[in-house]
Amino acid sequence: MRVTIYDIFIVARFVVILVLFAVSVVPVQARHGGISAARIDGLTLNEIVEKGESCVRMGHHDSAIAYYQAAAGRYDEGMDTDEKKMCVDAMCNAGAMAFVDRHDYIGAYAMLVKALGVAENNSFDYIKPYIYLNLAGVHTVFGDSTMSDGLRRKAFRIGKRLKDTYIYKMAFVELVYTAAASGNFSAIRNELADFGHSWQDIGISRHNYTMFIYLGISAYSKGRFAEALRHYDQADGCVCDLLDADLYHLLIDMLAARVYNAQGKYAEALARLKPNIGKKIYQHGLDYAYRALSELYAKAGEANLAREYKVKSLLMKDTTLDYDGYMRLRDVEQRYLPVDANSRATVFGGLGFAGRTAAIMAVVIVAMAVIVAVRRKRQQRMSGHTAVRAGARNNVGNGYSVPDEKAQETAHEIRKFMETSLEIYSQDFSLEKLAQRLGVHTRTVSRVINDVFGVNFSTLLSQYRVKKACRMLSSNDYSNVTIQAIANDVGFKSRTNFASVFKKQTGLSPNEYQKKVHGGMVSG
């Protein structure tokens, strides 16, 4: 069995990632933001925290972050419990402010992961839901909806257990946000049911905005649209005095737009949603609004405006997608690697140089063995398929049969869904979800795709995604949008994977294809 240059490249890339794991350090040193180190070093921990809180009240956010980071840097395992709590609170505050005020997503992530490690090491359950919600915001910006909603659900459960009204409501509202953006309220049915049963026990007022949101969604799900709009208007009247009122107004208007959308009243939906543009809302909130407006304009027959807001959404994503690979690395660290008090993610930390080298070599050997095994299995499977198809052509009677009427009907439904549904461009779309949407068993869908389409599900999905990418690359509307953003929009998690699949199907790289269709020279 020969090992190709491509296989060696895969192994080399794998080794590089492992080396990065072995030496990576989350940067958490305090940035003093213009405040001299001497001034901070002369203060007690309690004084530093108090100055940070004072800066927040006065609106001096850069100074507040500097003080909170300085307090975070004082953390030591030898501290008493109260001092440790002050440090972890400061870490959480610094991370939240870096996210909201500075849009420093990497810095926010680093500080929040450090805070989570300290909270877990010291069993500080009270602070975990606050950290989870802030981390969920970071993951939302980077398009990882599965992780972000998972963190919000953790916060929701802890808020209920601790009877923390603020956390319980906040987690509920953020889950509603993602459901309103996608229109998939069934995704939060468990949380809706929990809220309906628990709001009194948690201590939420009947006249609280979250209660009106819950009642509105419940009415909407039962088709009582006028009642849903009435509850949303009641919720809207309760948020005017809240700190992030514009963000709450956007949520309520998104919910109301869904009601109008369900009735085919697209002009009313647009009139409700459009005024939110230009207000002070977070980046992911504005992205939700852009995508919703694009969807509504498309339904209203305004193709140019639909494209305009689609492009605005993609251009906004371009400001963060450069960090995608870095964040995926940190995501793996958070979920699978231990984080110590100094926030160093450790893979081979205690092994020393020789031990780390031996461990990496061992992994390389295992990787080579896996590649060889996969290639052998693939060749066997391809040989089997070749034999089956040859037998079918020559009527050899080797067990291959022309797909029956039921299989052809299922294939028709698969093709129709793949050609009309936008869900296939979601990064978490899967064979299981396709089967669920069609109401057919997963194995049946997989068999039909293989027998009728002649490819597996993954290949079929990538074919449709590449077709959409080709349309986008050919359009002048997307000429200022990066390849990375287009890759993300059609469902690929990385530009590298997108480029590889695209070239395999078209014979050109995305850049070459774009130059060709726009009359440019194609590089050899």
Side-chain angles (χ1 to χ4, degrees):
M1 180 66 63
R2 292 189 303 169
V3 178
T4 66
I5 296 296
Y6 178 75
D7 296 328
I8 296 173
F9 169 72
I10 293 296
V11 174
R13 187 170 63 176
F14 187 62
V15 171
V16 169
I17 292 173
L18 286 176
V19 172
L20 287 174
F21 275 175
V23 301
S24 63
V25 178
V26 178
V28 294
Q29 293 180 346
R31 291 169 294 175
H32 290 167
I35 300 172
S36 70
R39 282 179 58 189
I40 291 181
D41 291 342
L43 300 175
T44 66
L45 176 61
N46 190 58
E47 288 172 336
I48 294 174
V49 172
E50 287 179 351
K51 283 189 174 291
E53 293 171 352
S54 176
C55 288
V56 170
R57 289 192 294 270
M58 292 186 292
H60 302 159
H61 291 174
D62 281 345
S63 295
I65 292 175
Y67 279 118
Y68 284 137
Q69 289 179 325
R74 292 282 183 94
Y75 181 83
D76 186 87
E77 282 294 334
M79 288 179 164
D80 61 35
T81 299
D82 289 340
E83 289 177 321
K84 287 181 178 179
K85 286 183 176 180
M86 279 193 283
C87 286
V88 77
D89 287 350
M91 295 173 197
C92 185
N93 290 339
M97 295 183 72
F99 171 67
V100 173
D101 296 305
R102 284 184 171 173
H103 303 293
D104 177 9
Y105 306 116
I106 300 299
Y109 183 90
M111 189 60 72
L112 291 167
V113 169
K114 176 179 174 68
L116 184 60
V118 174
E120 289 179 342
N121 288 342
N122 293 279
S123 300
F124 292 158
D125 287 347
Y126 78 94
I127 194 68
K128 285 183 184 179
Y130 294 87
I131 299 171
Y132 289 150
L133 288 181
N134 284 308
L135 280 172
V138 177
H139 283 288
T140 297
V141 168
F142 284 86
D144 194 344
S145 59
T146 301
M147 172 61 84
S148 59
D149 279 358
L151 291 167
R152 289 178 182 122
R153 288 189 169 92
K154 283 185 177 183
F156 185 77
R157 290 192 297 269
I158 295 176
K160 178 183 178 180
R161 177 165 56 84
L162 299 179
K163 293 190 176 182
D164 187 324
T165 305
Y166 174 80
I167 284 295
Y168 190 74
K169 291 192 302 183
M170 184 61 66
F172 175 73
V173 165
E174 291 199 13
L175 285 166
V176 170
Y177 237 120
T178 56
S182 65
N184 183 19
F185 292 101
S186 62
I188 59 169
R189 59 181 177 272
N190 292 335
E191 287 72 31
L192 287 169
D194 189 286
F195 190 92
H197 293 132
S198 306
W199 64 274
Q200 287 178 303
D201 184 51
I202 300 297
I204 297 172
S205 167
R206 186 182 295 275
H207 302 290
N208 186 272
Y209 70 94
T210 50
M211 192 65 199
F212 290 127
I213 288 174
Y214 162 74
L215 292 172
I217 296 173
S218 298
Y220 168 80
S221 64
K222 296 171 185 175
R224 300 202 293 263
F225 299 135
E227 181 184 340
L229 288 171
R230 186 173 69 253
H231 287 310
Y232 292 149
D233 287 339
Q234 289 173 309
D236 204 39
C238 296
V239 302
C240 296
D241 297 328
L242 296 178
L243 182 62
D244 295 311
D246 286 344
L247 199 61
Y248 289 105
H249 286 310
L250 172 61
L251 168 61
I252 293 164
D253 287 341
M254 287 174 64
L255 291 168
R258 287 288 172 190
V259 176
Y260 288 123
N261 180 47
Q263 300 175 87
K265 299 179 179 179
Y266 306 126
E268 288 90 338
L270 287 164
R272 186 75 186 249
L273 197 55
K274 188 70 178 291
N276 290 279
I277 304 301
K279 292 184 178 180
K280 186 180 178 181
I281 53 180
Y282 301 152
Q283 179 167 332
H284 59 277
L286 190 58
D287 182 45
Y288 287 157
Y290 284 156
R291 284 188 282 138
L293 286 168
S294 176
E295 174 189 335
L296 288 168
Y297 275 122
K299 290 183 177 180
E302 298 280 357
N304 289 336
L305 287 170
R307 283 195 298 271
E308 178 184 333
Y309 281 99
K310 179 71 170 179
V311 171
K312 284 184 176 182
S313 172
L314 290 173
L315 289 173
M316 174 171 285
K317 288 178 181 177
D318 278 346
T319 64
T320 57
L321 283 173
D322 287 343
Y323 297 119
D324 185 70
Y326 187 94
M327 291 299 292
R328 296 291 172 185
L329 179 66
R330 293 294 174 255
D331 176 40
V332 172
E333 288 181 352
Q334 180 186 337
R335 284 191 279 183
Y336 302 114
L337 306 180
V339 180
D340 65 20
N342 294 318
S343 196
R344 179 185 294 271
T346 56
V347 183
F348 310 122
L351 297 179
F353 177 78
R356 285 196 297 271
T357 303
I360 291 174
M361 291 302 297
V363 173
V364 171
I365 292 171
V366 171
M368 290 290 290
V370 169
I371 288 173
V372 171
V374 168
R375 286 176 61 83
R376 181 180 291 115
K377 185 175 181 180
R378 184 184 301 164
Q379 287 186 352
Q380 291 172 349
R381 185 164 60 246
M382 290 177 65
S383 298
H385 283 316
T386 301
V388 166
R389 288 170 182 164
R393 287 194 299 269
N394 297 315
N395 300 314
V396 176
N398 56 5
Y400 178 86
S401 59
V402 176
D404 58 24
E405 185 177 340
K406 183 66 175 176
Q408 293 287 1
E409 181 181 334
T410 301
H412 174 74
E413 292 301 316
I414 292 171
R415 185 178 290 106
K416 180 180 176 182
F417 184 88
M418 300 295 284
E419 290 175 352
T420 59
S421 175
L422 295 178
E423 193 175 356
I424 68 170
Y425 305 116
S426 172
Q427 291 184 1
D428 59 356
F429 187 71
S430 62
L431 176 64
E432 290 72 18
K433 286 190 176 181
L434 174 61
Q436 184 181 21
R437 300 296 182 268
L438 299 178
V440 181
H441 196 282
T442 304
R443 285 197 298 272
T444 301
V445 174
S446 178
R447 177 177 55 79
V448 169
I449 290 174
N450 278 275
D451 291 350
V452 178
F453 295 90
V455 295
N456 59 24
F457 168 75
S458 179
T459 301
L460 181 68
L461 179 62
S462 67
Q463 287 174 352
Y464 280 96
R465 288 175 170 178
V466 168
K467 284 180 182 178
K468 181 181 179 182
C470 287
R471 292 195 296 270
M472 295 174 73
L473 290 167
S474 302
S475 172
N476 290 328
D477 293 324
Y478 298 94
S479 59
N480 292 325
V481 176
T482 64
I483 301 296
Q484 173 71 73
I486 289 175
N488 183 259
D489 191 61
V490 298
F492 289 91
K493 292 184 178 180
S494 72
R495 176 170 176 162
T496 303
N497 179 241
F498 170 62
S500 174
V501 173
F502 191 95
K503 187 161 188 175
K504 183 177 180 181
Q505 292 190 22
T506 67
L508 299 172
S509 71
N511 279 322
E512 291 170 341
Y513 182 88
Q514 192 172 43
K515 289 179 182 178
K516 181 178 180 181
V517 297
H518 289 290
M521 296 296 292
V522 179
S523 60

